Amino acid sequence: MPRVVSLFFPAWPTDRLRRAMGQSAPSAESPIVMLGRQGNRRLVLAVDAAARAAGLRVGIPGSKAEVLVPNLQSFDLDAAGDAAALDRMALWSLRYAPIVAADPPDGLIIDTTGADHLHGGEEMMLEGLVSRMAASGIEARAAVADTWGAAHACARFLARPTFVAPVEGSSAIMLGLPIVALRLPHDIVHGLQTLGFERVGEVDAAPRASLSLRFGNELGRRLDQAMGRRSEPFEPVRSPDLIEVRRAFGEPIGAAETIARYAGKLVAALCEALETRGLGARRLDLLFHRVDNRIEAIRVGTAVPVRDVKRLTRLLTDRIETVDPGFGIELMTLTATLAEPFGAKQIISSLVEEQEPDITDLIDTLTNRIGEQSLYRFAPLESDVPERSIRRIAPTAPDDGTSWPGEWPRPPRLLTHPEPIETMALLPDHPPVWFSWRGIRRRVTRADGPERVFGEWWRRDAEVIAVRDYFQVEDEAGDRFWIYRAGDGKDPETGSHKWFLHGVFA
């Protein structure tokens, strides 16, 4: 089932202007509006959050806006610059899916069919999109639905700031939205409202012939596109700097074997182009242009720059089963949307030297099947707080030399959250005589400690005087545990003086 993401920028293009002015966030002291001419009138065509809070709206005369808000900053709307900025943002969004296009005047459209699992699912993908935009000073809302029209409407009327429409449930959601959600011209919307229509469902239930006679075919087309009854293809954005090869067919192809054969030929041609530039592919997008104007896509990634034809071909052909050729494919394009310098690597130089095993091929296979978020390894992080002393990194990330302290060993199994235990112990520096964990009482026969761990005062004020005293204890059965007391055993401000189990030794 196709899934489409619509990214909506409510304050566009004022957010772009603020970034150009060096302001990363809206300021309540300096509202901004963008002005433009419609006929002989100079109207407000865009407002930022501060201007909206001051009562300004799109469509009011510019002179009236300046009277209502004395400290208002007004600028001329740069339609060409805004369109170019949207195209640049679309190119940036290629990291999420192979098919991305601008949705003028204030959004992007992304076909994420089969790509959401690479980003942890649709909800995590939308949250990542919105948070990255917010970090750049751009207010954004995002929604995913079955069609472009439905996603466009949900992003503008339902996303706060994200919204995930159920699969095959977009049409039901559209029925309850206002008619302005159909991307219709203002005169058609005004005419429908004059006739008493308020919701999309009311328009969908009305006789189509009379509406088409009065408003033309645009109303029916937009309604069918939003409901999924008519396809709505769009041309993906592409940068001239990207390395791309394509193959057009005189007769449409559809057999999986034929698609795989031509995919291998495209990979060979792409690798030759990469070699001339000294690059290796990190991400490949293979697009299939069907005869019905729909585009299917395959995306694969690699852990390191790769220029091996067989390896890249295998990664692509493993995903061919996800492609629906429809009535046939008339054009295939292969693009290296991410390429990096292909560095030289020293091979073994003697008969006794063993070659280091290369597992990047296995990593690539697993990553393209289960997603980047599901494949990682742990690495040490410089922090005395145990739960903060590890981090997730990419499987092929280089070792930076950081390690855990060696004088106090850490348990190989660290609990996600410390679990409370019942104990009996002498304060302030003695380990427990016994402790009860998960309903089992254990008598302590050996213990080592305490190891005092202080809070990280630079994170929050509550950790300025926070203390933990850790003990390594062993019970009668020989099992060893890592437990701690919250507090120093004397001052109640340093902690609750309750005991917790934090890890288990092998």
Side-chain angles (χ1 to χ4, degrees):
M1 183 69 187
R3 297 292 279 176
V4 181
V5 169
S6 177
L7 201 60
F8 169 51
F9 309 117
W12 189 266
T14 56
D15 279 348
R16 182 179 77 86
L17 179 63
R18 285 188 180 276
R19 293 192 66 194
M21 297 168 59
Q23 300 180 19
S24 59
S27 172
E29 299 179 355
S30 57
I32 291 179
V33 298
M34 307 292 288
L35 304 178
R37 289 195 174 276
Q38 289 187 356
N40 295 327
R41 305 177 64 194
R42 187 170 172 81
L43 304 178
V44 174
L45 300 182
V47 298
D48 68 348
R52 287 198 302 269
L56 301 184
R57 296 293 182 266
V58 174
I60 67 174
S63 57
K64 181 179 180 180
E66 293 172 351
V67 171
L68 292 175
V69 183
N71 60 339
L72 182 68
Q73 299 184 59
S74 59
F75 300 87
D76 290 332
L77 188 70
D78 181 12
D82 297 336
L86 280 180
D87 286 339
R88 290 194 298 271
M89 294 177 67
L91 289 173
W92 173 87
S93 300
L94 283 172
R95 66 187 64 195
Y96 286 93
I99 305 176
V100 183
D103 188 11
D106 52 12
L108 300 177
I109 196 73
I110 308 173
D111 189 334
T112 59
T113 305
D116 59 283
H117 73 284
L118 299 176
H119 308 284
E122 291 181 337
E123 291 186 5
M124 290 186 62
M125 178 178 61
L126 295 186
E127 291 173 0
L129 271 167
V130 171
S131 61
R132 289 196 176 196
M133 292 295 176
S136 300
I138 299 177
E139 181 185 359
R141 301 176 193 169
V144 59
D146 299 332
T147 64
W148 177 358
H152 184 278
C154 292
R156 285 151 180 80
F157 294 92
L158 298 177
R160 297 293 183 271
T162 63
F163 181 82
V164 178
V167 177
E168 299 185 357
S170 301
S171 57
I173 294 174
M174 284 296 302
L175 295 177
L177 295 180
I179 56 177
V180 292
L182 288 175
R183 297 176 294 163
L184 294 168
H186 175 73
D187 56 341
I188 296 181
V189 173
H190 180 70
L192 290 171
Q193 291 173 343
T194 302
L195 294 176
F197 293 101
E198 295 182 357
R199 301 290 172 180
V200 175
E202 298 171 358
V203 179
D204 190 47
R208 180 67 62 88
S210 59
L211 291 178
S212 299
L213 184 62
R214 185 181 182 97
F215 299 105
N217 295 327
E218 180 70 6
L219 174 59
R221 183 173 69 89
R222 288 302 191 190
L223 189 62
D224 289 340
Q225 288 173 345
M227 296 297 181
R229 296 190 287 258
R230 178 183 294 190
S231 63
E232 187 178 7
F234 57 90
E235 185 65 25
V237 65
R238 279 291 181 264
S239 170
D241 298 329
L242 297 178
I243 303 176
E244 179 180 281
V245 293
R246 57 177 54 203
R247 181 69 177 259
F249 306 101
E251 293 291 336
I253 63 173
E257 297 79 4
T258 307
I259 295 174
R261 183 170 69 255
Y262 283 108
K265 295 181 179 180
L266 288 175
V267 170
L270 185 71
C271 288
E272 291 181 3
L274 290 170
E275 186 175 6
T276 59
R277 301 192 188 187
L279 300 175
R282 285 291 312 277
R283 185 171 64 225
L284 294 181
D285 289 344
L286 181 57
L287 304 187
F288 306 89
H289 299 255
R290 305 191 328 188
V291 295
D292 59 357
N293 287 332
R294 176 170 173 76
I295 300 177
E296 295 282 324
I298 291 177
R299 162 166 287 185
V300 297
T302 60
V304 295
V306 175
R307 217 162 53 207
D308 187 333
V309 175
K310 291 185 178 180
R311 178 171 171 180
L312 294 177
T313 301
R314 178 173 52 79
L315 291 176
L316 289 171
T317 53
D318 284 346
R319 302 284 313 280
I320 284 181
E321 61 182 12
T322 65
V323 176
D324 179 11
F327 293 106
I329 297 170
E330 59 183 1
L331 176 66
M332 290 172 56
T333 62
L334 179 63
T335 308
T337 51
L338 181 60
E340 295 179 357
F342 193 83
K345 183 178 180 180
Q346 178 67 44
I347 61 175
I348 57 175
S349 56
S350 68
L351 295 176
V352 296
E353 184 179 354
E354 294 185 3
Q355 186 174 3
E356 183 180 353
D358 183 8
I359 62 171
T360 57
D361 193 7
L362 174 62
I363 292 174
D364 293 343
T365 302
L366 295 176
T367 300
N368 288 286
R369 289 181 180 178
I370 64 178
E372 298 178 0
Q373 305 291 335
S374 303
L375 201 63
Y376 54 84
R377 64 184 178 90
F378 289 110
L381 188 65
E382 292 184 354
S383 176
D384 289 333
V385 181
E387 59 265 33
R388 298 174 184 164
S389 62
I390 58 175
R391 59 190 172 118
R392 293 182 179 184
I393 61 175
T396 57
D399 187 2
D400 59 3
T402 305
S403 62
W404 288 289
E407 61 273 14
W408 289 99
R410 294 289 185 260
R413 180 192 174 193
L414 193 69
L415 302 184
T416 305
H417 301 287
E419 298 184 9
I421 57 176
E422 296 179 2
T423 64
M424 184 178 71
L426 294 175
L427 296 180
D429 297 328
H430 289 269
V433 177
W434 58 264
F435 68 93
S436 179
W437 176 52
R438 295 183 178 179
I440 300 177
R441 181 167 173 169
R442 304 172 186 271
R443 181 172 174 271
V444 176
T445 57
R446 295 180 179 84
D448 190 10
E451 174 194 357
R452 179 155 292 180
V453 174
F454 294 92
E456 297 178 336
W457 53 267
W458 57 91
R459 286 179 174 264
R460 54 179 180 172
D461 294 340
E463 297 190 30
V464 172
I465 58 174
V467 171
R468 291 181 185 175
D469 282 342
Y470 278 88
F471 293 86
Q472 301 176 39
V473 299
E474 182 178 322
D475 66 4
E476 294 176 313
D479 296 328
R480 294 189 298 146
F481 304 90
W482 205 39
I483 63 176
Y484 74 86
R485 181 189 63 240
D488 61 3
K490 297 180 181 179
D491 188 354
E493 294 185 356
T494 60
S496 64
H497 290 173
K498 294 182 179 180
W499 289 84
F500 298 86
L501 190 144
H502 204 168
V504 180
F505 288 92

